[in-house]
Amino acid sequence: MLRLFQTNKIRKVEELEGDWDFQPIKQSEELPSDFNYRMPVPGCWEMQPDFLTYRGQGVFRREIDVPTNTSVRLNFKGISHTADVYFDGKRVAHHYNAYTPFTAVIPNVKPGKHIILVRVDNSFHEESKLHFANDYYTYGGIIRPVGIEYISDAFIERIQFTPYKNSNGEWQGNIDVIVSNTGSQNEEIELKGIFEEESISFESKRIKPNETVIFSAAKNFPDVKAWSHLDPQLYFLEVQLYKSGQESPSDDLIERVGFRTVTTLNGKIQINDEDIVLKGFNRHEDHPMVGAAFPYQLMVQDVDLMIHMGANSVRTSHYPNDERFLDLCDERGIFVWEENHARGFLLSHMQDPKTQQQCLACNKEMVFNHFNHPSIIIWAILNECASNTLEGKELYREQIEQIKEMDQSRPVSFASHHREHELCFDLADIVSFNLYPLWYTNEDPGELAEKARQWADELGGLGKPMIMSEFGGDGYYGLRDPNNVRGTEERQAEIIEKNLAAYTSSPFISGMYIWQFCDCRVVEDTGWLLSRAGTQNSKGIVDRYRRPKLAAEVVKKYFKIPIT
Ligand code: ADA
């Protein structure tokens, strides 16, 4: 399943799910011709008994049968972490970063059999600045779905829909449709939009070969209902592409959109002009049975569990998530803080130009691909990086400006652990603190929150909403002790209780994300093994198998009380 709704009625799309041939290879080895394994796609190779901790390269192979003369677009939703894609032996794409989608267009494909090869690398090396030994696991494989789309020369790349209210409080929307021409001739293109059986017109345009053009339209939507947490109304926005002189469309794309605004005024966050308080979890896409390659049912289980505990929000720490998960959040009315892929970069790491370039690429892919999800209400960058330095600040600035240029409709934030040394609050719309009172420090959560508000006010965040973006403590599932010693479920429950009691009663806090929803696997070579026993981060409120710990009842108690 690529998405939770039908994205095309005209363009033919198939999912390339199933067993692909697989062969591990060495770094400098040529592409293999013999394949000794079969590997599920989507899947993580760590789930296969011969590759439990394999860090290296492997090649996936799949034969496809193309029905007619056509152009083809391969749509990879996530390959961990570096991919080189070959079509009939010719390289057609190179992509870095496990957690963002990419496509490869192959023009003029003849009918018959063709071979797709994907060389995948999950090793840590100089070129890989976002994936390295870290407090979560970088798996290997084609971890998210793959689609094949049969496209005409001119095709719709994507649609960007921005809802807003006019001065009379009526819903309006800007629609941008991005169209490319992969053919060798100029194309005269007309688009027809359809929304709830009403049509939307666009000015026709000529597109030269290899050119990408944006078609724009603005429209009033007088009869729609707003998307909200309690009533997440969604609508389909369909765009059809006609080549000049043709009566029937040759391509289409359907997006699912919602009408809501996000603002930050008077130190609070508003959805559709109403103040909200975000209550939720940091979540890693990780599960002991599937790694990072979530099937739909396990996504639903996670969302259900979060809702069951009273959460209204999730932070996709520390990378963009699978689009099906975001679709699900749209459907269930879960507010999403989506962030780019970055955790704990020191200044020297940030200053390597490759790091910034990989972050900028990630930001672009995140915003372009996830733009239409009404559930996403915050974009964030660079979790716990060098925002306490002037040099780091310039890199934060460049990334925030880049995001603002792509999307002015959502606030931007970043999670900081620099306390009174933070230098970048002036760049963000929301100030966010990762603080671990009662776990890494012995401070009182309420007093610390007051201090944090003061730091925010003094350091450029005056008048801005404030979020406690991480807090929590270890609790090993099943480790119980009436003395509440560190690491027990009792101690974790106590830490969570004191933190939530403080934050849910502080009027200046607009959101809180517990670290973390579920325990997650971590990379062994981080050097923190003493605090990461079992190579896992054990601060989950549920364990890796989603069994609730004692703290789950505490969360329920606090998250279910309405906060005004
Ligand atoms: C940090 C970090 C998380 C996690 C957490 C912890 O705040 O952002 O990824 O590592 O600490 O468990 O210590």
Side-chain angles (χ1 to χ4, degrees):
M1 188 195 292
L2 290 152
R3 299 291 299 269
L4 302 198
F5 59 93
Q6 191 184 353
T7 51
N8 305 82
K9 290 182 192 160
I10 292 152
R11 185 190 305 177
K12 194 172 152 216
V13 179
E14 287 164 9
E15 189 176 353
L16 297 178
E17 187 182 28
D19 260 2
W20 289 39
D21 297 325
F22 179 74
Q23 186 62 26
I25 53 161
K26 300 222 164 49
Q27 201 86 23
S28 50
E29 227 177 303
E30 300 272 293
L31 291 170
S33 43
D34 292 333
F35 289 77
N36 295 313
Y37 295 88
R38 302 279 284 163
M39 200 66 88
V41 170
C44 295
W45 62 49
E46 287 81 357
M47 301 300 124
Q48 212 275 3
D50 290 335
F51 298 93
L52 295 175
T53 55
Y54 181 64
R55 197 160 289 291
Q57 296 198 0
V59 180
F60 290 78
R61 178 177 66 180
R62 163 102 186 213
E63 189 180 86
I64 54 162
D65 203 347
V66 174
T68 56
N69 229 322
T70 177
S71 292
V72 155
R73 185 162 87 144
L74 299 172
N75 191 351
F76 295 94
K77 299 291 186 178
I79 296 185
S80 185
H81 56 61
T82 300
D84 285 288
V85 181
Y86 299 82
F87 192 85
D88 292 339
K90 185 170 165 248
R91 192 165 88 153
V92 291
H94 171 80
H95 183 260
Y96 173 71
N97 190 7
Y99 308 116
T100 43
F102 67 97
T103 57
V105 173
I106 306 112
N108 304 323
V109 177
K110 300 266 167 306
K113 303 222 184 295
H114 298 270
I115 299 284
I116 302 168
L117 287 183
V118 187
R119 186 178 193 129
V120 179
D121 186 359
N122 78 336
S123 57
F124 299 140
H125 49 66
E126 248 313 287
E127 296 299 307
S128 170
K129 295 295 172 192
L130 311 184
H131 290 273
F132 51 87
N134 214 330
D135 206 12
Y136 56 92
Y137 204 81
T138 288
Y139 290 93
I142 302 179
I143 65 169
R144 291 179 184 168
V146 184
I148 180 164
E149 305 173 2
Y150 299 105
I151 51 170
S152 60
D153 289 349
F155 71 98
I156 303 171
E157 288 235 9
R158 57 192 175 85
I159 299 170
Q160 265 188 211
F161 176 75
T162 314
Y164 60 94
K165 276 187 189 169
N166 66 15
S167 48
N168 300 326
E170 293 152 352
W171 283 111
Q172 298 204 292
N174 285 338
I175 305 158
D176 289 329
V177 185
I178 293 86
V179 179
S180 289
N181 179 7
T182 61
S184 49
Q185 285 171 6
N186 289 340
E187 296 280 5
E188 212 57 60
I189 296 298
E190 226 169 87
L191 297 183
K192 184 177 156 206
I194 305 160
F195 183 90
E196 300 275 287
E197 288 168 17
E198 240 185 85
S199 60
I200 304 167
S201 49
F202 295 83
E203 226 174 81
S204 57
K205 290 192 181 188
R206 161 178 290 211
I207 314 183
K208 294 192 201 119
N210 296 319
E211 200 184 31
T212 298
V213 165
I214 302 178
F215 293 68
S216 298
K219 186 177 158 28
N220 294 335
F221 297 91
D223 301 322
V224 296
K225 283 193 180 162
W227 181 96
S228 70
H229 164 55
L230 294 176
D231 188 12
Q233 294 283 337
L234 295 166
Y235 295 90
F236 293 107
L237 172 62
E238 193 173 338
V239 179
Q240 298 181 339
L241 179 149
Y242 293 76
K243 288 186 183 174
S244 92
Q246 287 185 348
E247 292 217 330
S248 44
S250 54
D251 191 41
D252 71 341
L253 187 60
I254 303 166
E255 267 295 352
R256 202 172 58 174
V257 301
F259 292 79
R260 58 102 194 84
T261 54
V262 193
T263 44
T264 54
L265 291 170
N266 310 320
K268 306 255 183 211
I269 303 170
Q270 297 82 27
I271 300 294
N272 300 329
D273 304 321
E274 272 182 36
D275 290 348
I276 50 151
V277 176
L278 303 169
K279 298 175 288 185
F281 297 95
N282 287 280
R283 174 178 174 273
H284 270 298
E285 275 185 328
D286 188 55
H287 193 287
M289 304 303 286
V290 298
F294 268 65
Y296 177 61
Q297 191 181 355
L298 290 182
M299 290 180 187
V300 174
Q301 188 185 27
D302 280 5
V303 169
D304 281 347
L305 268 170
M306 290 191 273
I307 292 174
H308 180 72
M309 287 189 266
N312 64 10
S313 187
V314 62
R315 173 176 174 223
T316 69
S317 50
H318 299 301
Y319 36 78
N321 275 18
D322 189 308
E323 281 168 46
R324 292 166 301 159
F325 183 78
L326 301 170
D327 283 342
L328 196 54
C329 291
D330 291 342
E331 290 178 6
R332 303 285 171 100
I334 299 287
F335 299 120
V336 179
W337 156 318
E338 179 155 78
E339 68 188 24
N340 75 354
H341 182 200
R343 180 196 172 279
F345 300 167
L346 301 174
L347 180 61
S348 54
H349 190 95
M350 288 183 81
Q351 280 180 315
D352 185 322
K354 256 181 248 150
T355 309
Q356 185 72 350
Q357 178 247 311
Q358 290 176 359
C359 282
L360 293 168
C362 177
N363 294 343
K364 184 171 163 193
E365 291 170 333
M366 172 174 82
V367 175
F368 277 7
N369 286 289
H370 298 169
F371 196 94
N372 297 322
H373 290 281
S375 59
I376 298 179
I377 58 160
I378 297 171
W379 298 123
I381 57 162
L382 296 168
N383 171 73
E384 293 193 355
C385 298
S387 53
N388 59 330
T389 63
L390 286 172
E391 299 91 330
K393 181 167 187 170
E394 287 319 303
L395 301 166
Y396 270 77
R397 187 194 307 282
E398 188 185 7
Q399 291 196 33
I400 289 176
E401 282 175 3
Q402 178 207 20
I403 290 180
K404 291 276 178 197
E405 208 167 292
M406 294 185 283
D407 182 9
Q408 286 97 50
S409 71
R410 291 172 172 97
V412 176
S413 192
F414 63 90
S416 165
H417 65 317
H418 293 300
R419 303 167 66 110
E420 68 271 38
H421 304 294
E422 178 53 54
L423 294 183
C424 296
F425 284 149
D426 59 325
L427 301 177
D429 301 304
I430 298 171
V431 294
S432 303
F433 288 92
N434 289 358
L435 300 167
Y436 283 81
L438 304 175
W439 183 250
Y440 290 127
T441 66
N442 232 341
E443 294 157 290
D444 172 79
E447 284 168 23
L448 186 58
E450 302 263 359
K451 265 197 213 161
R453 183 69 257 184
Q454 217 175 319
W455 296 326
D457 292 349
E458 286 162 2
L459 298 170
L462 189 67
K464 297 183 180 180
M466 167 175 154
I467 288 179
M468 304 307 273
S469 37
E470 288 185 29
F471 56 93
D474 280 6
Y476 297 100
Y477 181 80
L479 184 65
R480 306 283 283 268
D481 189 307
N483 294 330
N484 287 21
V485 290
R486 274 172 82 80
T488 58
E489 287 194 37
E490 286 90 346
R491 179 65 156 264
Q492 183 194 34
E494 187 184 309
I495 293 170
I496 295 295
E497 168 114 43
K498 290 185 173 152
N499 275 269
L500 288 181
Y503 307 151
T504 52
S505 59
S506 302
F508 54 85
I509 290 183
S510 291
M512 61 206 79
Y513 293 101
I514 297 170
W515 188 270
Q516 58 179 336
F517 169 64
C518 56
D519 293 344
C520 68
R521 182 171 172 177
V522 305
V523 175
E524 187 155 341
D525 331 318
T526 52
W528 314 318
L529 263 193
L530 279 184
S531 58
R532 296 295 182 267
T535 53
Q536 63 171 36
N537 186 313
S538 302
K539 297 188 186 69
I541 300 301
V542 299
D543 78 346
R544 293 188 67 200
Y545 290 92
R546 277 50 179 175
R547 295 174 299 188
K549 303 179 191 172
L550 281 181
E553 284 305 312
V554 175
V555 175
K556 232 189 252 177
K557 184 168 100 191
Y558 284 93
F559 276 2
K560 290 213 164 163
I561 307 170
I563 307 174
T564 47

PDB file of all heavy atoms in Angstrom, residues 175-198:
ATOM      1  N   ILE A 175      -3.764  26.699  -5.149  1.00  0.00           N
ATOM      2  CA  ILE A 175      -3.412  25.387  -5.684  1.00  0.00           C
ATOM      3  C   ILE A 175      -2.272  25.566  -6.681  1.00  0.00           C
ATOM      4  O   ILE A 175      -2.417  26.293  -7.667  1.00  0.00           O
ATOM      5  CB  ILE A 175      -4.624  24.750  -6.411  1.00  0.00           C
ATOM      6  CG1 ILE A 175      -5.819  24.697  -5.455  1.00  0.00           C
ATOM      7  CG2 ILE A 175      -4.278  23.350  -6.916  1.00  0.00           C
ATOM      8  CD1 ILE A 175      -7.150  24.606  -6.161  1.00  0.00           C
ATOM      9  N   ASP A 176      -1.150  24.941  -6.412  1.00  0.00           N
ATOM     10  CA  ASP A 176      -0.026  24.950  -7.362  1.00  0.00           C
ATOM     11  C   ASP A 176       0.140  23.528  -7.884  1.00  0.00           C
ATOM     12  O   ASP A 176       0.223  22.582  -7.097  1.00  0.00           O
ATOM     13  CB  ASP A 176       1.272  25.369  -6.655  1.00  0.00           C
ATOM     14  CG  ASP A 176       1.268  26.844  -6.285  1.00  0.00           C
ATOM     15  OD1 ASP A 176       0.636  27.629  -7.016  1.00  0.00           O
ATOM     16  OD2 ASP A 176       1.876  27.193  -5.258  1.00  0.00           O
ATOM     17  N   VAL A 177       0.195  23.426  -9.197  1.00  0.00           N
ATOM     18  CA  VAL A 177       0.377  22.097  -9.792  1.00  0.00           C
ATOM     19  C   VAL A 177       1.691  22.107 -10.561  1.00  0.00           C
ATOM     20  O   VAL A 177       1.907  22.961 -11.431  1.00  0.00           O
ATOM     21  CB  VAL A 177      -0.791  21.739 -10.732  1.00  0.00           C
ATOM     22  CG1 VAL A 177      -0.642  20.304 -11.236  1.00  0.00           C
ATOM     23  CG2 VAL A 177      -2.124  21.915 -10.024  1.00  0.00           C
ATOM     24  N   ILE A 178       2.560  21.201 -10.220  1.00  0.00           N
ATOM     25  CA  ILE A 178       3.903  21.182 -10.810  1.00  0.00           C
ATOM     26  C   ILE A 178       3.923  20.103 -11.894  1.00  0.00           C
ATOM     27  O   ILE A 178       3.698  18.915 -11.625  1.00  0.00           O
ATOM     28  CB  ILE A 178       4.970  20.922  -9.715  1.00  0.00           C
ATOM     29  CG1 ILE A 178       5.019  22.120  -8.746  1.00  0.00           C
ATOM     30  CG2 ILE A 178       6.352  20.740 -10.311  1.00  0.00           C
ATOM     31  CD1 ILE A 178       4.094  22.149  -7.631  1.00  0.00           C
ATOM     32  N   VAL A 179       4.164  20.557 -13.145  1.00  0.00           N
ATOM     33  CA  VAL A 179       4.070  19.648 -14.298  1.00  0.00           C
ATOM     34  C   VAL A 179       5.427  19.592 -15.004  1.00  0.00           C
ATOM     35  O   VAL A 179       6.061  20.617 -15.222  1.00  0.00           O
ATOM     36  CB  VAL A 179       2.984  20.139 -15.277  1.00  0.00           C
ATOM     37  CG1 VAL A 179       2.889  19.226 -16.491  1.00  0.00           C
ATOM     38  CG2 VAL A 179       1.630  20.226 -14.581  1.00  0.00           C
ATOM     39  N   SER A 180       5.847  18.389 -15.381  1.00  0.00           N
ATOM     40  CA  SER A 180       7.127  18.231 -16.086  1.00  0.00           C
ATOM     41  C   SER A 180       6.912  17.629 -17.457  1.00  0.00           C
ATOM     42  O   SER A 180       5.968  16.858 -17.665  1.00  0.00           O
ATOM     43  CB  SER A 180       8.048  17.291 -15.308  1.00  0.00           C
ATOM     44  OG  SER A 180       8.490  17.912 -14.160  1.00  0.00           O
ATOM     45  N   ASN A 181       7.830  17.957 -18.348  1.00  0.00           N
ATOM     46  CA  ASN A 181       7.809  17.360 -19.682  1.00  0.00           C
ATOM     47  C   ASN A 181       9.103  16.576 -19.875  1.00  0.00           C
ATOM     48  O   ASN A 181      10.178  17.154 -19.961  1.00  0.00           O
ATOM     49  CB  ASN A 181       7.690  18.479 -20.730  1.00  0.00           C
ATOM     50  CG  ASN A 181       7.675  17.939 -22.137  1.00  0.00           C
ATOM     51  OD1 ASN A 181       7.626  16.726 -22.351  1.00  0.00           O
ATOM     52  ND2 ASN A 181       7.714  18.843 -23.108  1.00  0.00           N
ATOM     53  N   THR A 182       8.992  15.260 -19.940  1.00  0.00           N
ATOM     54  CA  THR A 182      10.195  14.433 -20.122  1.00  0.00           C
ATOM     55  C   THR A 182      10.418  14.099 -21.595  1.00  0.00           C
ATOM     56  O   THR A 182      11.380  13.433 -21.947  1.00  0.00           O
ATOM     57  CB  THR A 182      10.066  13.093 -19.371  1.00  0.00           C
ATOM     58  OG1 THR A 182       8.941  12.414 -19.931  1.00  0.00           O
ATOM     59  CG2 THR A 182       9.895  13.270 -17.907  1.00  0.00           C
ATOM     60  N   GLY A 183       9.491  14.554 -22.445  1.00  0.00           N
ATOM     61  CA  GLY A 183       9.578  14.194 -23.865  1.00  0.00           C
ATOM     62  C   GLY A 183      10.539  15.084 -24.635  1.00  0.00           C
ATOM     63  O   GLY A 183      11.238  15.931 -24.062  1.00  0.00           O
ATOM     64  N   SER A 184      10.570  14.917 -25.956  1.00  0.00           N
ATOM     65  CA  SER A 184      11.515  15.689 -26.760  1.00  0.00           C
ATOM     66  C   SER A 184      10.820  16.809 -27.542  1.00  0.00           C
ATOM     67  O   SER A 184      11.415  17.469 -28.380  1.00  0.00           O
ATOM     68  CB  SER A 184      12.253  14.752 -27.723  1.00  0.00           C
ATOM     69  OG  SER A 184      11.299  13.958 -28.381  1.00  0.00           O
ATOM     70  N   GLN A 185       9.517  16.999 -27.283  1.00  0.00           N
ATOM     71  CA  GLN A 185       8.792  18.053 -28.008  1.00  0.00           C
ATOM     72  C   GLN A 185       8.116  19.022 -27.038  1.00  0.00           C
ATOM     73  O   GLN A 185       7.787  18.629 -25.918  1.00  0.00           O
ATOM     74  CB  GLN A 185       7.694  17.416 -28.847  1.00  0.00           C
ATOM     75  CG  GLN A 185       8.247  16.737 -30.054  1.00  0.00           C
ATOM     76  CD  GLN A 185       7.188  15.923 -30.769  1.00  0.00           C
ATOM     77  OE1 GLN A 185       6.020  15.958 -30.403  1.00  0.00           O
ATOM     78  NE2 GLN A 185       7.613  15.195 -31.765  1.00  0.00           N
ATOM     79  N   ASN A 186       7.875  20.244 -27.530  1.00  0.00           N
ATOM     80  CA  ASN A 186       7.072  21.180 -26.729  1.00  0.00           C
ATOM     81  C   ASN A 186       5.688  20.587 -26.530  1.00  0.00           C
ATOM     82  O   ASN A 186       5.152  19.953 -27.441  1.00  0.00           O
ATOM     83  CB  ASN A 186       6.903  22.506 -27.473  1.00  0.00           C
ATOM     84  CG  ASN A 186       8.203  23.273 -27.524  1.00  0.00           C
ATOM     85  OD1 ASN A 186       9.102  23.025 -26.721  1.00  0.00           O
ATOM     86  ND2 ASN A 186       8.309  24.199 -28.461  1.00  0.00           N
ATOM     87  N   GLU A 187       5.125  20.838 -25.360  1.00  0.00           N
ATOM     88  CA  GLU A 187       3.763  20.339 -25.112  1.00  0.00           C
ATOM     89  C   GLU A 187       2.889  21.512 -24.684  1.00  0.00           C
ATOM     90  O   GLU A 187       3.272  22.303 -23.817  1.00  0.00           O
ATOM     91  CB  GLU A 187       3.749  19.291 -23.985  1.00  0.00           C
ATOM     92  CG  GLU A 187       4.513  18.032 -24.286  1.00  0.00           C
ATOM     93  CD  GLU A 187       3.753  17.054 -25.168  1.00  0.00           C
ATOM     94  OE1 GLU A 187       2.638  17.402 -25.629  1.00  0.00           O
ATOM     95  OE2 GLU A 187       4.289  15.952 -25.396  1.00  0.00           O
ATOM     96  N   GLU A 188       1.725  21.599 -25.310  1.00  0.00           N
ATOM     97  CA  GLU A 188       0.727  22.609 -24.943  1.00  0.00           C
ATOM     98  C   GLU A 188      -0.189  21.928 -23.917  1.00  0.00           C
ATOM     99  O   GLU A 188      -0.872  20.966 -24.260  1.00  0.00           O
ATOM    100  CB  GLU A 188      -0.050  22.940 -26.225  1.00  0.00           C
ATOM    101  CG  GLU A 188      -0.572  24.342 -26.371  1.00  0.00           C
ATOM    102  CD  GLU A 188       0.489  25.430 -26.285  1.00  0.00           C
ATOM    103  OE1 GLU A 188       1.442  25.458 -27.091  1.00  0.00           O
ATOM    104  OE2 GLU A 188       0.320  26.243 -25.372  1.00  0.00           O
ATOM    105  N   ILE A 189      -0.172  22.412 -22.677  1.00  0.00           N
ATOM    106  CA  ILE A 189      -0.857  21.652 -21.621  1.00  0.00           C
ATOM    107  C   ILE A 189      -2.007  22.440 -21.013  1.00  0.00           C
ATOM    108  O   ILE A 189      -1.884  23.622 -20.695  1.00  0.00           O
ATOM    109  CB  ILE A 189       0.147  21.275 -20.495  1.00  0.00           C
ATOM    110  CG1 ILE A 189       1.230  20.342 -21.028  1.00  0.00           C
ATOM    111  CG2 ILE A 189      -0.562  20.634 -19.307  1.00  0.00           C
ATOM    112  CD1 ILE A 189       0.749  19.011 -21.543  1.00  0.00           C
ATOM    113  N   GLU A 190      -3.094  21.731 -20.812  1.00  0.00           N
ATOM    114  CA  GLU A 190      -4.232  22.312 -20.110  1.00  0.00           C
ATOM    115  C   GLU A 190      -4.536  21.451 -18.885  1.00  0.00           C
ATOM    116  O   GLU A 190      -4.469  20.222 -18.976  1.00  0.00           O
ATOM    117  CB  GLU A 190      -5.437  22.284 -21.033  1.00  0.00           C
ATOM    118  CG  GLU A 190      -6.181  23.587 -21.036  1.00  0.00           C
ATOM    119  CD  GLU A 190      -7.179  23.596 -22.157  1.00  0.00           C
ATOM    120  OE1 GLU A 190      -8.280  23.117 -21.912  1.00  0.00           O
ATOM    121  OE2 GLU A 190      -6.800  24.054 -23.265  1.00  0.00           O
ATOM    122  N   LEU A 191      -4.838  22.103 -17.781  1.00  0.00           N
ATOM    123  CA  LEU A 191      -5.175  21.333 -16.579  1.00  0.00           C
ATOM    124  C   LEU A 191      -6.617  21.592 -16.201  1.00  0.00           C
ATOM    125  O   LEU A 191      -7.132  22.696 -16.377  1.00  0.00           O
ATOM    126  CB  LEU A 191      -4.294  21.756 -15.392  1.00  0.00           C
ATOM    127  CG  LEU A 191      -2.794  21.526 -15.490  1.00  0.00           C
ATOM    128  CD1 LEU A 191      -2.131  21.960 -14.182  1.00  0.00           C
ATOM    129  CD2 LEU A 191      -2.460  20.059 -15.770  1.00  0.00           C
ATOM    130  N   LYS A 192      -7.235  20.553 -15.637  1.00  0.00           N
ATOM    131  CA  LYS A 192      -8.593  20.736 -15.131  1.00  0.00           C
ATOM    132  C   LYS A 192      -8.604  20.226 -13.695  1.00  0.00           C
ATOM    133  O   LYS A 192      -8.219  19.082 -13.423  1.00  0.00           O
ATOM    134  CB  LYS A 192      -9.541  19.905 -15.999  1.00  0.00           C
ATOM    135  CG  LYS A 192     -10.985  20.076 -15.630  1.00  0.00           C
ATOM    136  CD  LYS A 192     -11.856  19.268 -16.586  1.00  0.00           C
ATOM    137  CE  LYS A 192     -13.160  18.953 -15.882  1.00  0.00           C
ATOM    138  NZ  LYS A 192     -13.789  17.762 -16.400  1.00  0.00           N
ATOM    139  N   GLY A 193      -8.995  21.102 -12.785  1.00  0.00           N
ATOM    140  CA  GLY A 193      -9.082  20.687 -11.386  1.00  0.00           C
ATOM    141  C   GLY A 193     -10.510  20.291 -11.047  1.00  0.00           C
ATOM    142  O   GLY A 193     -11.465  20.836 -11.613  1.00  0.00           O
ATOM    143  N   ILE A 194     -10.648  19.338 -10.151  1.00  0.00           N
ATOM    144  CA  ILE A 194     -11.990  18.933  -9.716  1.00  0.00           C
ATOM    145  C   ILE A 194     -11.989  18.844  -8.191  1.00  0.00           C
ATOM    146  O   ILE A 194     -11.155  18.162  -7.597  1.00  0.00           O
ATOM    147  CB  ILE A 194     -12.386  17.558 -10.303  1.00  0.00           C
ATOM    148  CG1 ILE A 194     -12.260  17.573 -11.822  1.00  0.00           C
ATOM    149  CG2 ILE A 194     -13.802  17.159  -9.878  1.00  0.00           C
ATOM    150  CD1 ILE A 194     -12.166  16.214 -12.449  1.00  0.00           C
ATOM    151  N   PHE A 195     -12.953  19.563  -7.614  1.00  0.00           N
ATOM    152  CA  PHE A 195     -13.089  19.527  -6.159  1.00  0.00           C
ATOM    153  C   PHE A 195     -14.567  19.359  -5.855  1.00  0.00           C
ATOM    154  O   PHE A 195     -15.373  20.236  -6.195  1.00  0.00           O
ATOM    155  CB  PHE A 195     -12.557  20.823  -5.530  1.00  0.00           C
ATOM    156  CG  PHE A 195     -12.602  20.816  -4.040  1.00  0.00           C
ATOM    157  CD1 PHE A 195     -11.533  20.343  -3.283  1.00  0.00           C
ATOM    158  CD2 PHE A 195     -13.745  21.256  -3.360  1.00  0.00           C
ATOM    159  CE1 PHE A 195     -11.584  20.325  -1.902  1.00  0.00           C
ATOM    160  CE2 PHE A 195     -13.795  21.236  -1.979  1.00  0.00           C
ATOM    161  CZ  PHE A 195     -12.717  20.778  -1.248  1.00  0.00           C
ATOM    162  N   GLU A 196     -14.940  18.235  -5.253  1.00  0.00           N
ATOM    163  CA  GLU A 196     -16.344  17.993  -4.918  1.00  0.00           C
ATOM    164  C   GLU A 196     -17.246  18.277  -6.129  1.00  0.00           C
ATOM    165  O   GLU A 196     -18.225  19.021  -6.011  1.00  0.00           O
ATOM    166  CB  GLU A 196     -16.785  18.886  -3.753  1.00  0.00           C
ATOM    167  CG  GLU A 196     -16.010  18.671  -2.479  1.00  0.00           C
ATOM    168  CD  GLU A 196     -16.563  17.541  -1.644  1.00  0.00           C
ATOM    169  OE1 GLU A 196     -17.628  17.716  -1.049  1.00  0.00           O
ATOM    170  OE2 GLU A 196     -15.905  16.477  -1.610  1.00  0.00           O
ATOM    171  N   GLU A 197     -16.888  17.754  -7.253  1.00  0.00           N
ATOM    172  CA  GLU A 197     -17.643  17.895  -8.513  1.00  0.00           C
ATOM    173  C   GLU A 197     -17.642  19.303  -9.118  1.00  0.00           C
ATOM    174  O   GLU A 197     -18.243  19.546 -10.164  1.00  0.00           O
ATOM    175  CB  GLU A 197     -19.090  17.403  -8.350  1.00  0.00           C
ATOM    176  CG  GLU A 197     -19.102  15.889  -8.250  1.00  0.00           C
ATOM    177  CD  GLU A 197     -20.404  15.315  -7.800  1.00  0.00           C
ATOM    178  OE1 GLU A 197     -21.415  16.017  -7.858  1.00  0.00           O
ATOM    179  OE2 GLU A 197     -20.374  14.157  -7.380  1.00  0.00           O
ATOM    180  N   GLU A 198     -16.978  20.213  -8.491  1.00  0.00           N
ATOM    181  CA  GLU A 198     -16.857  21.556  -9.078  1.00  0.00           C
ATOM    182  C   GLU A 198     -15.540  21.614  -9.831  1.00  0.00           C
ATOM    183  O   GLU A 198     -14.549  21.013  -9.375  1.00  0.00           O
ATOM    184  CB  GLU A 198     -16.762  22.562  -7.935  1.00  0.00           C
ATOM    185  CG  GLU A 198     -17.857  23.589  -7.933  1.00  0.00           C
ATOM    186  CD  GLU A 198     -17.577  24.587  -6.840  1.00  0.00           C
ATOM    187  OE1 GLU A 198     -16.824  25.532  -7.112  1.00  0.00           O
ATOM    188  OE2 GLU A 198     -18.089  24.402  -5.719  1.00  0.00           O
TER     189      GLU A 198
END
